[in-house]
Structures are given as structure tokens and as C-alpha cells.
Amino acid sequence: MGTRGPAPKPARLKILAGETRPSRVNYAEPIPGGGPLSPPLDLRDEARIVWERVVDALGPTGVLTAADKDILRLYCEAVVRYVEAETLLSRSQPLVQGRDGSLVKNPLHQIVRDNADAVRKYARELGLTPSARAGLRGEMDGQANSATAKLDAIIRAARRT
């Protein structure tokens, strides 16, 4: 059985949110190595557009790292599948004829809903929802903001001891 309650926030997000109590920040939290957040070579063009949009928006925060590539890929692909299914649904009727000739709910409803749920789940994991960003502060001007720089310095110092 998994842990109860909401998933814990990464230390970087806590610092960006303004957490000042050391007891609430895990300074020993492992920080994945950096590296470019380049999209996978086999990513579809539509998903690549979503990838670039997300990396442009969150890349400067330092929250996304190369270790997040797989979850980011899942998010991008789910967004594309959602848009494709929603486009098909909007071109069809909400009710379609079943095998016995009676009207039934269009199966595209379920596909749209499943992909919308997947997008919402992955977006929460990546910090892409408004509620995930609600408490964040700081200037995101293409360089690490002061809170992220402070956290990096604290973590480096803690690892040296």
C-alpha cells in the first residue's frame, strides 16, 4: 500500500513557494543531474510542439530536469491524443447507432475523458496546473532565480560535509 495523502512537494518547489522553516525542506533530497531537455528523437511533431511550449515555460525555473523526460513525454503525447479525440468527437454526434440499432453514447466520449484525466494527472506531477503554481514566487527571466540558486548552494554545502 502506498503512502497516504498528497504527494510531497520537491524541495525546489517548497523554496520557490517561500518555505522558510528548515524542518519542512529536505535539503538532502536527491537532485537529478542537469542536461538539456531536448525532446526524444521519435516524438511526434504535434507532441514536440507541446514539449517546446512546456520547456520554454518551466525550463528557467530549474524544476524540470533531464530525469523528467519520460513523464514530460507522456504528458505531451496525452495532450495530442486528447486534441485528436476531441476533434473527432466535435465532428460527430454525441449519440451513435449501436449494433442493435438503438442509440448509444459515442465511444469517443470515453477516449476524450481518459486522455483529459491523463493530461490532468501528468500536469499535476510536472507542476503545470494553476494549483501547483499557486504558491510559487520569483522572477523567471531565463536565469536561475535567487531561491533556486540559494537552494543549490545549500545542497552543495550539505553534500560537502
Side-chain angles (χ1 to χ4, degrees):
M1 185 171 184
T3 59
R4 300 180 83 153
K9 257 190 198 178
R12 261 181 216 272
L13 288 179
K14 286 182 180 181
I15 296 292
L16 287 172
E19 182 59 63
T20 58
R21 290 178 275 189
S23 63
R24 294 205 175 174
V25 178
N26 178 9
Y27 292 108
E29 177 181 291
I31 306 283
L37 272 171
S38 55
L41 297 175
D42 60 339
L43 194 64
R44 295 184 343 181
D45 290 339
E46 299 88 353
R48 188 176 301 272
I49 292 169
V50 177
W51 179 287
E52 296 298 333
R53 185 178 69 222
V54 171
V55 169
D56 286 347
L58 282 185
T61 65
V63 173
L64 291 177
T65 68
D68 301 315
K69 279 184 156 183
D70 293 330
I71 191 81
L72 182 55
R73 177 188 186 129
L74 292 172
Y75 170 78
C76 295
E77 290 172 346
V79 168
V80 171
R81 281 192 312 273
Y82 169 80
V83 170
E84 290 172 346
E86 179 59 37
T87 302
L88 288 173
L89 181 61
S90 67
R91 291 183 190 154
S92 62
Q93 299 297 317
L95 298 175
V96 295
Q97 219 169 27
R99 291 184 186 179
D100 62 355
S102 64
L103 291 178
V104 296
K105 181 173 73 172
N106 191 329
L108 284 171
H109 279 286
Q110 186 64 43
I111 296 170
V112 168
R113 186 176 342 146
D114 289 348
N115 282 289
D117 289 342
V119 167
R120 197 171 23 259
K121 178 177 72 173
Y122 298 135
R124 258 194 317 262
E125 289 290 323
L126 292 167
L128 299 174
T129 62
S131 61
R133 294 187 310 267
L136 300 184
R137 289 178 255 170
E139 298 285 323
M140 306 304 173
D141 58 359
Q143 298 189 10
N145 63 41
S146 60
T148 301
K150 286 178 189 174
L151 178 62
D152 288 340
I154 291 168
I155 290 171
R156 280 193 301 272
R159 286 184 178 164
R160 280 187 225 129
T161 59

